[in-house]
Amino acid sequence: MLGEWFCVLTNFVCTVPIIICYKKQLIIDASLIAITGGASFIYHFNRLIYPICDQVAIRNTDIIMANLIVIHTGNCILFRFSNMQRVSADLLWLPVVIYTAESVVTMRLIGMGVFGVLCQLWWLHHKVNYLWRWMTGGVIGVCVQLVFFNTANAYGEYYEWLHGMHHIMAFTSQASFIYGIL
């Protein structure tokens, strides 16, 4: 039971990037992160502790928000100074994110990985506009959270602990990226 609560409660790590966004007056970004953390909290609570809503609906909401926040973080790197450009880019990606919610997780990871690598190449080409160590920390965090995510899905016995660590690393790496954007 402790592992289940760990997995559920680790979603509160989303407060770290929310606070950074709030301090940078990025209210839309902070709201999107809060909704993502909330959807994941409800999904894991519903799945692991006590069912309170339709499992398929909250699963798809969790997947859509998790994938959208990955795309949004990439858009933060690409469109540093324009809230409207980031939101517009997110909206353009939304049909793809919704459509792929029911696809195989490997395909979603490959798609987001390609987009993430392209965003990192953009960052490296324009690195004077970013804080190098925080952006690097974000990249390392993403790699570590992917290891936790994939290991959790492969080995169900420790799913709750490994997936909880995925939450921690995902929100921490996102905070690192947002902090690293000047």
Side-chain angles (χ1 to χ4, degrees), residues 143-155:
C143 294
V144 172
Q145 72 88 20
L146 282 171
V147 169
F148 282 123
F149 180 82
N150 288 319
T151 305
N153 288 340
Y155 303 102

Side-chain angles (χ1 to χ4, degrees), residues 96-112:
V96 174
V97 171
I98 292 170
Y99 180 78
T100 58
E102 286 292 326
S103 67
V104 178
V105 70
T106 305
M107 295 306 296
R108 291 193 312 264
L109 291 176
I110 290 170
M112 289 183 295

Side-chain angles (χ1 to χ4, degrees), residues 31-83:
S31 301
L32 189 59
I33 296 165
I35 292 168
T36 302
S40 183
F41 176 89
I42 294 168
Y43 168 69
H44 290 291
F45 184 85
N46 192 69
R47 181 172 175 260
L48 299 172
I49 311 271
Y50 184 78
I52 57 174
C53 57
D54 181 71
Q55 181 64 25
V56 174
I58 193 60
R59 175 196 170 271
N60 287 345
T61 302
D62 178 47
I63 290 172
I64 290 166
M65 292 309 300
N67 294 346
L68 184 60
I69 204 70
V70 170
I71 298 299
H72 179 76
T73 303
N75 288 334
C76 286
I77 294 169
L78 298 176
F79 307 108
R80 296 182 354 255
F81 298 118
S82 175
N83 282 333

Side-chain angles (χ1 to χ4, degrees), residues 3 6-8 10-11 40 43-44 47-48 62 145 148-153 158-170:
F6 176 76
C7 185
V8 170
T10 53
N11 284 292
S40 183
Y43 168 69
H44 290 291
R47 181 172 175 260
L48 299 172
D62 178 47
Q145 72 88 20
F148 282 123
F149 180 82
N150 288 319
T151 305
N153 288 340
Y158 300 106
Y159 172 84
E160 297 85 6
W161 295 101
L162 294 168
H163 197 83
M165 290 303 298
H166 149 74
H167 291 156
I168 292 169
M169 293 308 301

Side-chain angles (χ1 to χ4, degrees), residues 24 80-81 127-131 177-182:
K24 289 186 167 201
R80 296 182 354 255
F81 298 118
K127 61 187 166 196
V128 72
N129 298 318
Y130 303 91
L131 296 173
F177 282 128
I178 293 168
Y179 192 80
I181 298 169
L182 295 175

